[in-house]
Amino acid sequence: SGSGEELTVDEMFDGFDASRYEEEVTRRWGSEAYADSQRAWRELGAASVTGVDSSRPILAQAAADHEKDSQLTFRSGEALATGLETASADVVFARALVHHLDDLRGFVGEAVRLLRPGGRLLIQDRTLDDVAQPADAGHVRGFFFAAFPHLLEVEARRRPAAQIMTEALEGSGCVVDVASFWEVRAHHPDRASLLADVAARTGRSILHELDDAQLASLVATMEDLLPAGEIVETDRWTLWSARPTSRSETIDTVTAGS
């Protein structure tokens, strides 16, 4: 519904059968999107996937990793100006992208332009509420903010509130549903493996806000608090599912379960 009530992820996809499209084109933005793009979208029935990024090194690596898959292609472009054809995609998926953007309405406008009638825009990102979840053995990111609260101020400046994203979508004529969910980030065989990952700041841009001494202090604190054995690291995300209402062809309505 337009009010953005909370749904489960299964309910977000209820009624959307991607396999019914003869030529599925899914657009995927973001430097984190490429490793799992083929698997994730093939499981949803996509016949082809196009990844878009502004970084040529990332695109080159992605193309090399998937060179044997003729149905997976990569294009250079910007989130607000992809250069792709109008009405060429059934699904536009933006993962870990919107917190980097200043012009949310501009991004939504470009994404809606790409959609065919009946298509959906899916946005997966972390809000401030997502990253501020309490720390535990699964939610490792929480230890960063417990040890260095000023990092939450950094996140607050760059991460849109869920309602801000919802308003940008609704202001562009979309019907919007919102869900929060936990996603497995990594399986670490032991604590040492996780701490090495943190010490290297691997995939954790927020840790570049700490100097080396602060980072070492964080790693030492986490070593004291985390179990020594296997750790399944998770992150909480927010998912927006948006359907433009101006399209003549619609997909099944998503409703909350009773």
Side-chain angles (χ1 to χ4, degrees), residues 24-29 34 37-38 42 47-53 59-60 62-64 66-76 84:
E24 196 82 27
V25 181
T26 304
R27 313 299 182 192
R28 224 179 153 138
W29 283 288
Y34 300 108
S37 60
Q38 178 182 14
R42 290 299 172 77
S48 63
V49 178
T50 300
V52 180
D53 200 285
L59 290 169
H66 299 280
E67 62 180 351
K68 295 182 179 180
D69 191 340
S70 62
Q71 294 172 299
L72 183 61
T73 59
F74 300 94
R75 295 278 300 273
S76 176
L84 301 173

Side-chain angles (χ1 to χ4, degrees), residues 210-230:
L210 303 179
D211 61 30
D212 289 346
Q214 290 172 319
L215 182 62
S217 174
L218 172 63
V219 170
T221 298
M222 292 175 65
E223 185 172 17
D224 290 338
L225 296 175
L226 288 170
E230 179 184 9

Side-chain angles (χ1 to χ4, degrees), residues 10-166:
D10 286 343
E11 288 167 336
M12 297 288 279
F13 287 98
D14 181 35
F16 183 68
D17 178 13
S19 64
R20 67 182 177 170
Y21 297 103
E22 182 175 351
E23 294 186 6
E24 196 82 27
V25 181
T26 304
R27 313 299 182 192
R28 224 179 153 138
W29 283 288
S31 60
E32 298 180 25
Y34 300 108
D36 62 352
S37 60
Q38 178 182 14
R39 175 188 59 79
W41 287 107
R42 290 299 172 77
E43 289 177 358
L44 288 176
S48 63
V49 178
T50 300
V52 180
D53 200 285
S54 60
S55 169
R56 293 191 179 276
I58 286 175
L59 290 169
Q61 184 60 56
D65 291 343
H66 299 280
E67 62 180 351
K68 295 182 179 180
D69 191 340
S70 62
Q71 294 172 299
L72 183 61
T73 59
F74 300 94
R75 295 278 300 273
S76 176
E78 300 288 340
L80 274 64
T82 63
L84 301 173
E85 294 182 9
T86 298
S88 59
D90 296 306
V91 177
V92 172
F93 181 38
R95 184 181 187 274
L97 168 70
V98 296
H99 71 276
H100 294 295
L101 304 178
D102 295 324
D103 185 0
L104 295 180
R105 287 288 293 272
F107 157 70
V108 173
E110 173 67 356
V112 169
R113 182 186 69 79
L114 298 177
L115 288 174
R116 294 186 180 121
R120 286 195 191 189
L121 166 58
L122 301 176
I123 300 171
Q124 180 183 341
D125 218 304
R126 286 191 289 266
T127 66
L128 183 61
D129 187 51
D130 291 327
V131 300
Q133 294 298 303
D136 59 33
H139 187 227
V140 172
R141 189 176 296 267
F143 288 107
F144 306 167
F145 307 112
F148 296 97
H150 75 276
L151 293 179
L152 271 180
E153 298 175 7
V154 176
E155 292 284 33
R157 291 194 296 269
R158 70 176 186 165
R159 296 197 179 276
Q163 186 58 33
I164 297 299
M165 188 71 250
T166 300

Side-chain angles (χ1 to χ4, degrees), residues 6 9 95 124 126 129-142 179-185 232-239:
E6 187 162 313
V9 174
R95 184 181 187 274
Q124 180 183 341
R126 286 191 289 266
D129 187 51
D130 291 327
V131 300
Q133 294 298 303
D136 59 33
H139 187 227
V140 172
R141 189 176 296 267
S180 296
F181 66 99
W182 289 90
E183 178 183 83
V184 174
R185 173 189 174 92
V232 179
E233 183 182 0
T234 60
D235 286 320
R236 202 181 86 163
W237 294 81
T238 295
L239 179 68

